[in-house]
């Protein structure tokens, strides 16, 4: 369903590929000559404790300004797109170039299992800076997605991955969404979190930002006055999708210029 919504936006007229709007997510090159390798064998080592806290606590991630990512693919994506990787922990030496300032640590498999947020560790995890973007004065792009109260991290990450695939310009979160830099969210985004900006806003900030930017807000809602999603003009807009159980909140619905729906068979919910 999410892919259908964003595909509609992507297929709207006047679609052009744009440079990414935030400097730190432009593609970057890793430098050879990474720092020296160290080995840790204790599960009680301070770094291992730090990693477990990053995996389990959004408050700790906000406090430290760091996030935890796992898998070789995510590490390659982070390196390619200029994310600030700080520490790489692996069971085998990482074979690819990393910036010299990156701390590289080897651990035995049993220690990796104790710190990995995944049930089946892939042998590599890393910490990196989790940027907190201030609410911008304007949104310069053409198409954005708004998530309202979406609390499942996998859903937030999947939406981020999908909007990146269809070249939407960014994601705005409101209403207590899942942490965009939690391990499950980052994993589900498949690296899109390193390429697309994510802002957290209140409904009031969202309304003010869209008005300043001249961007209409379309809300996905099952209402009698909702128009067929295939008939809406997506040439420049933001699309709001509500929580898994309740849909859009009243605060966000009141901001919508239109509500839209995907026609379905009456036998389907």
């Amino acid at each position: 369903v999410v892919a259908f919504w964003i595909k509609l936006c992507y297929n709207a007229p006047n679609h052009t590929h744009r440079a990414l709007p935030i400097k730190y997510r432009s593609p970057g090159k890793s430098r050879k000559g990474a720092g020296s390798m160290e080995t840790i064998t204790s599960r009680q080592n301070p770094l291992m404790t730090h990693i477990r806290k990053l995996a389990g606590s959004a408050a700790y991630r906000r406090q430290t300004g760091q996030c935890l990512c796992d898998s070789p693919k995510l590490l390659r994506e982070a390196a390619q797109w200029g994310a600030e990787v700080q520490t790489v922990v692996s069971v085998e030496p990482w074979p690819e170039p990393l910036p010299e300032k990156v701390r590289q640590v080897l651990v035995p498999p049993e220690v990796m299992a104790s710190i990995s947020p995944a049930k089946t560790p892939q042998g590599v995890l890393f910490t990196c800076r989790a940027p907190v973007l201030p609410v911008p004065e304007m949104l310069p792009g053409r198409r954005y997605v708004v998530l309202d109260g979406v609390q499942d991290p996998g859903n937030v990450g999947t939406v981020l991955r999908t909007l990146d695939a269809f070249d939407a310009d960014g994601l705005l979160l409101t209403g207590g969404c899942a942490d965009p830099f939690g391990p499950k969210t980052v994993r589900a985004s498949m690296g899109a979190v390193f390429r697309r900006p994510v802002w957290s806003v209140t409904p009031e900030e969202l309304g003010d930002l869209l008005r300043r930017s001249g961007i209409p807000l379309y809300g996905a809602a099952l209402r009698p006055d909702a128009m067929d999603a295939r008939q809406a003009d997506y040439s420049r807009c933001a699309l709001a999708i509500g929580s898994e159980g309740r849909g859009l909140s009243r605060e966000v619905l009141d901001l919508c210029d239109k509500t839209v729906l995907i026609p379905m068979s009456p036998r389907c919910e």
Side-chain angles (χ1 to χ4, degrees):
V1 171
V2 171
F4 178 84
W5 285 111
I6 301 176
K7 188 174 188 299
L8 286 173
C9 297
Y10 179 78
N11 287 337
N14 299 322
H15 176 81
T16 56
H17 183 77
R18 296 165 298 284
L20 296 181
I22 46 179
K23 183 177 180 180
Y24 64 83
R25 286 179 184 157
S26 298
K29 295 182 178 179
S30 298
R31 292 177 294 163
K32 293 185 177 180
S36 59
M37 186 74 65
E38 59 183 290
T39 299
I40 292 175
T41 59
S42 171
R43 300 182 186 188
Q44 283 69 49
N45 181 276
L47 176 61
M48 304 300 105
T49 301
H50 170 65
I51 288 174
R52 280 191 290 268
K53 292 172 71 174
L54 285 178
S57 171
Y60 187 73
R61 291 191 290 270
R62 289 191 294 269
Q63 175 188 338
T64 59
Q66 296 181 29
C67 64
L68 179 67
C69 313
D70 65 293
S71 85
K73 174 179 172 52
L74 283 177
L75 181 52
R76 293 186 183 99
E77 291 281 352
Q80 179 181 356
W81 293 97
E84 190 177 323
V85 177
Q86 296 170 327
T87 302
V88 174
V89 180
S90 58
V91 295
E92 298 288 344
W94 181 248
E96 300 173 22
L98 291 168
E100 292 179 358
K101 63 181 180 180
V102 175
R103 181 183 180 185
Q104 297 188 59
V105 177
L106 284 177
V107 298
E110 60 271 18
V111 174
M112 175 63 72
S114 75
I115 60 175
S116 174
K119 292 182 179 180
T120 306
Q122 298 189 43
V124 176
L125 54 76
F126 62 98
T127 66
C128 66
R129 185 174 69 89
V132 178
L133 301 182
V135 180
E137 286 298 316
M138 298 282 289
L139 292 173
R142 301 182 65 83
R143 301 175 186 91
Y144 297 86
V145 174
V146 176
L147 293 184
D148 177 22
V150 178
Q151 298 181 346
D152 185 285
N155 288 345
V156 173
T158 298
V159 170
L160 185 53
R161 177 186 180 187
T162 305
L163 70 85
D164 179 52
F166 290 108
D167 202 28
D169 295 284
L171 178 64
L172 297 112
L173 303 178
T174 192
C177 289
D179 181 6
F181 292 100
K184 292 181 180 178
T185 313
V186 174
R187 190 182 311 124
S189 82
M190 297 293 284
V193 71
F194 304 126
R195 295 188 290 272
R196 297 294 168 180
V198 181
W199 299 278
S200 293
V201 295
T202 65
E204 181 180 2
E205 290 171 332
L206 175 65
D208 290 343
L209 176 59
L210 293 176
R211 281 190 290 271
R212 289 195 304 267
S213 304
I215 296 178
L217 180 63
Y218 300 162
L222 294 173
R223 303 203 314 185
D225 61 345
M227 70 181 301
D228 189 318
R230 295 167 294 185
Q231 298 173 3
D233 177 11
Y234 297 99
S235 57
R236 190 164 192 254
C237 70
L239 177 67
I241 302 171
S243 69
E244 298 88 348
R246 295 175 298 173
L248 291 174
S249 65
R250 172 51 55 186
E251 292 85 351
V252 173
L253 275 172
D254 288 343
L255 298 175
C256 292
D257 298 276
K258 295 178 182 178
T259 53
V260 292
L261 59 79
I262 300 173
M264 296 189 299
S265 167
R267 67 176 178 271
C268 298
E269 294 185 2

